[in-house]
Amino acid sequence: MIPILRLVAPVLLAAAQPAVAAADDAAAQLKAIADRYGERQAERDVHAQLSLGRGVRRIPTLSLADLEAEAGFARELLRELDVVPLQSLGTEERLTAEALRWLLNDAQTLPQTYLFGFPAPYSLTELGPIGTALASNPLKSSEDRKAYLSLLASVAARFEAMRVRVRDQEARGIRMTRRQIPRGLAALQGLRAQVDGWGAVADSRLAGLAPEDRAAFRSLAKEGAARILPAIDALVASFDDRYQAQAPDTVGLWQYPGGLDHYRLLARRSTTMDIEPAALRDLGQRLLDENNRELDALSARLQVPGGRAGLRSYANGNPRFLARTPEAVMERYRVCLAGIEPKLPQFFSRMPKAPYRARRLDPAKEAGLTFGFYQQPTPAEPYGEYHFNGSKLESRSQIPACALIFHELVPGHHFHLALQTENEALPAFRRTGGFTAFNEGWAEYASNLAREMGALNDPIDLLGRLMNNSFIFSRLVVDVGLNQDAWPIDRARAFMRANTFSSDEEIESELLRYSSDIPAQALAYGAGYAAIADLRREIETATGRGFDIRRFHDEVVGHGALPMDVLRAHVRRSLTGSVEHPAR
């Protein structure tokens, strides 16, 4: 037998070598494509550059020419990706290829979106990090200082491109709804108020320069910031009396030429699933009905008469549930986090290294935002932070505080975003990028998971989670209603009053967000949550008593954000042996 083995082993080795070489070649091809894509996207994404610790040189203009160039770049990379032999790749490389294909297919549709974006509060929040970028950009070398000035110039170009887009929209009969115009103008004025600070550079940042060079750069920075002001003013002037007189009172994409097709595209982009808006509306109604039954049961447990309607009055009209100061809000979050932290190891084997905390938003930015946002760790700011809205506390019930902070920090956004940033096995575009359906779907799943973890045993905290569910599930119904089904805003308002715990002011802000600021974006929360929850039930059924919750969570969040169709195929392959692949 020994001589036979000696003959067979070299044959097996020789056969294996071409396969290894093919796998190495495929991996190298994929890496080159992913690196090109990642570098291109990092150049266009302030958040990505900050998370990588880079100086930010520019932001994209989002002009029609800019979007067409991105679509052309995507087509070129797709042709290259098509010839990579993906069957020889490992798990992480295959996920990179599948995520990249989804992104490139989506990027080809960017020119189709040009006519439908308005300068409104939420769509302008991506310019919020400009001040952070300028403050963190290094200024030691001449190239550093050129980057600083280039960034200022690109901001001016972005506002000019917005003005041109508004003009092009008007030519097609597309105007921002009259209801949203004051809010959009207020958001623009808020950005304008920050511009002077963008041109000011502290002495400490220029300490190594000769006095004359320091003065010259300061002058150029001040001039660069000053050029942004007329660009903002010209954009503001676009919404003059003539524009406002012709702007519609109605809301929603259905009313614009091509608006329904655009909404279907946005729904697919937001959910990262091939699903029709009507199916999302029906999903939302089903989830809402189930949640409403839980609320009715909870009203009996709390001995609050009147079912959901009684709970609404109990929650919103009780001063016991209000915070007097932003510091009191932060203390409430700290208590919630202390209750869940000991339970995390039972459900997760991977946890991020970066610490986390809650902080109040800059009060100047609070008027344009209903709630707040999570900011993932960066080299300059190593904490994962939830920036909460600390204004108008007299109308903000703190009942949902635990549900909210579990969504925003642990085991929600901080878990998946910090883990993703820390995972050096991922290519750059996957470490810094994301998909709203995954990001928000995971955060909603994680916050609801807190019930199973025993962190929502208090009936008031459970009420807060069910209140948030009402809001998330109602969005699926209302977003589709406003944009596809031509709901008047009064119908949408009545629906949210009947099915959510939101104040009238919050409802008004949200309805404009869905219908004329960032339509379809809110679909991602409920659709992503349902996709992950349904996937878990599927895997539990398939694996039976062998189901391991920690392993399931590892496979869902251990590879960074993914399109939902890619995620589902991956989890099925990993945990059940399914050979399903996402559609090409």
Side-chain angles (χ1 to χ4, degrees):
M1 294 295 293
I2 293 174
I4 294 175
L5 287 173
R6 286 175 178 170
L7 288 172
V8 171
V11 173
L12 292 174
L13 182 60
Q17 285 174 342
V20 172
D24 288 345
D25 287 347
Q29 289 175 311
L30 177 63
K31 183 179 185 305
I33 296 169
D35 286 349
R36 283 182 61 200
Y37 177 83
E39 188 58 37
R40 178 93 167 203
Q41 294 312 302
E43 289 177 357
R44 298 174 63 82
D45 187 336
V46 174
H47 289 285
Q49 292 178 72
L50 288 172
S51 67
L52 292 169
R54 296 184 184 180
V56 182
R57 302 188 65 87
R58 66 183 65 84
I59 59 172
T61 63
L62 303 186
S63 65
L64 181 57
D66 178 52
L67 298 179
E68 288 174 339
E70 285 307 293
F73 176 73
R75 285 191 292 272
E76 177 187 338
L77 282 194
L78 272 172
R79 287 192 293 269
E80 295 181 19
L81 187 60
D82 283 340
V83 301
V84 177
L86 303 183
Q87 67 276 8
S88 62
L89 297 175
T91 296
E92 209 63 82
E93 292 161 333
R94 181 166 52 191
L95 291 175
T96 292
E98 291 169 353
L100 188 56
R101 182 174 297 281
W102 191 94
L103 287 163
L104 293 172
N105 280 326
D106 182 64
Q108 292 183 95
T109 69
L110 285 173
Q112 300 172 40
T113 69
Y114 173 69
L115 287 173
F116 296 97
F118 298 112
Y122 276 93
S123 59
L124 289 170
T125 56
E126 63 183 286
L127 295 176
I130 297 300
T132 302
L134 289 166
S136 61
N137 268 14
L139 295 175
K140 294 180 180 179
S141 70
S142 60
E143 287 303 311
D144 291 340
R145 295 188 290 279
K146 285 179 183 177
Y148 191 101
L149 299 175
S150 173
L151 177 55
L152 289 172
S154 72
V155 174
R158 174 73 158 266
F159 283 113
E160 170 58 17
M162 287 186 201
R163 184 193 65 78
V164 172
R165 182 187 294 213
V166 170
R167 181 201 65 195
D168 293 344
Q169 288 170 333
E170 278 202 274
R172 293 288 299 275
I174 297 172
R175 294 177 181 84
M176 188 190 298
T177 177
R178 192 174 296 142
R179 298 170 183 269
Q180 183 71 299
I181 292 173
R183 294 168 55 82
L185 294 178
L188 288 170
Q189 294 295 355
L191 283 170
R192 194 185 192 284
Q194 300 176 43
V195 171
D196 283 342
W198 294 350
V201 183
D203 279 342
S204 57
R205 302 183 66 193
L206 303 172
L209 290 182
E212 60 273 18
D213 293 335
R214 193 180 309 161
F217 176 73
R218 269 220 186 85
S219 176
L220 290 171
K222 190 170 291 187
E223 289 174 10
R227 291 191 193 98
I228 298 172
L229 297 175
I232 296 176
D233 292 342
L235 175 59
V236 167
S238 299
F239 299 96
D240 57 14
D241 292 344
R242 178 195 54 79
Y243 184 103
Q244 297 193 39
Q246 297 178 38
D249 286 318
T250 47
V251 298
L253 288 172
W254 62 269
Q255 65 187 312
Y256 302 128
L260 288 175
D261 286 340
H262 179 63
Y263 186 63
R264 283 192 289 272
L265 185 157
L266 291 182
R268 289 193 297 272
R269 175 179 294 169
S270 176
T271 64
T272 61
M273 294 182 280
D274 188 10
I275 187 168
E276 287 294 315
L280 292 166
R281 176 197 61 217
D282 294 345
L283 169 67
Q285 189 63 63
R286 175 176 64 79
L287 293 172
L288 191 59
D289 290 344
E290 294 171 0
N291 196 72
N292 284 343
R293 286 192 288 272
E294 281 206 77
L295 282 166
D296 288 336
L298 186 60
S299 73
R301 180 180 170 188
L302 287 169
Q303 298 182 329
V304 175
R308 280 180 288 127
L311 281 178
R312 192 173 296 110
S313 299
Y314 171 75
N316 292 337
N318 195 331
R320 166 190 168 196
F321 302 126
L322 298 177
R324 294 183 179 276
T325 65
E327 291 72 26
V329 177
M330 292 215 329
E331 179 58 26
R332 176 90 163 99
Y333 291 152
R334 279 193 286 270
V335 170
C336 296
L337 292 170
I340 201 171
E341 285 165 344
K343 307 173 189 297
L344 294 171
Q346 301 169 40
F347 289 81
F348 298 92
S349 58
R350 303 188 203 187
M351 286 182 273
K353 299 174 185 175
Y356 50 87
R357 64 189 178 192
R359 282 205 306 178
R360 185 183 180 182
L361 271 165
D362 178 350
K365 299 177 183 177
E366 290 180 339
L369 295 175
T370 308
F371 299 109
F373 61 88
Y374 170 80
Q375 182 172 306
Q376 66 195 82
T378 69
E381 293 288 343
Y383 279 84
E385 293 185 331
Y386 174 57
H387 297 264
F388 68 90
N389 194 325
S391 67
K392 300 180 180 176
L393 294 178
E394 68 281 0
S395 61
R396 295 183 187 274
S397 170
Q398 295 304 307
I399 292 176
C402 287
L404 177 64
I405 207 64
F406 297 156
H407 171 111
E408 296 291 348
L409 290 180
V410 296
H413 282 320
H414 181 70
F415 256 47
H416 79 85
L417 285 169
L419 280 171
Q420 176 177 296
T421 302
E422 293 166 8
N423 187 350
E424 296 184 0
L426 302 182
F429 84 89
R430 290 181 59 199
R431 289 179 68 191
T432 60
F435 299 90
T436 304
F438 179 94
N439 292 6
E440 300 300 345
W442 168 260
E444 283 301 302
Y445 167 85
S447 184
N448 275 284
L449 179 70
R451 296 177 66 178
E452 183 179 344
M453 296 173 71
L456 289 173
N457 288 333
D458 186 297
I460 296 301
D461 290 335
L462 175 58
L463 173 59
R465 182 58 259 173
L466 297 178
M467 288 168 63
N468 280 11
N469 284 348
S470 295
F471 183 65
I472 297 305
F473 303 154
S474 290
R475 285 171 150 188
L476 288 164
V477 180
V478 172
D479 199 297
V480 177
L482 289 167
N483 288 290
Q484 176 173 280
D485 300 340
W487 280 19
I489 201 165
D490 288 345
R491 178 178 176 182
R493 184 185 297 114
F495 186 92
M496 292 196 76
R497 281 176 175 166
N499 288 285
T500 76
F501 290 71
S502 300
S503 69
D504 287 348
E505 184 177 13
E506 288 170 346
I507 288 172
E508 292 306 308
S509 173
E510 289 297 304
L511 293 180
L512 289 173
R513 169 182 174 171
Y514 310 153
S515 63
S516 56
D517 195 340
I518 44 175
Q521 188 268 355
L523 300 174
Y525 296 68
Y529 158 77
I532 295 173
D534 288 347
L535 180 62
R536 175 176 167 180
R537 285 189 286 270
E538 176 189 326
I539 301 301
E540 284 180 313
T541 300
T543 56
R545 296 181 66 180
F547 178 74
D548 183 338
I549 188 63
R550 301 207 312 168
R551 188 177 174 204
F552 174 77
H553 290 153
D554 281 352
E555 293 301 336
V556 173
V557 297
H559 302 274
L562 293 166
M564 298 311 298
D565 285 341
V566 174
L567 175 72
R568 290 188 292 201
H570 161 69
V571 173
R572 288 165 182 156
R573 282 195 303 261
S574 298
L575 300 183
T576 70
S578 167
V579 295
E580 173 194 357
H581 295 279
R584 290 171 69 89

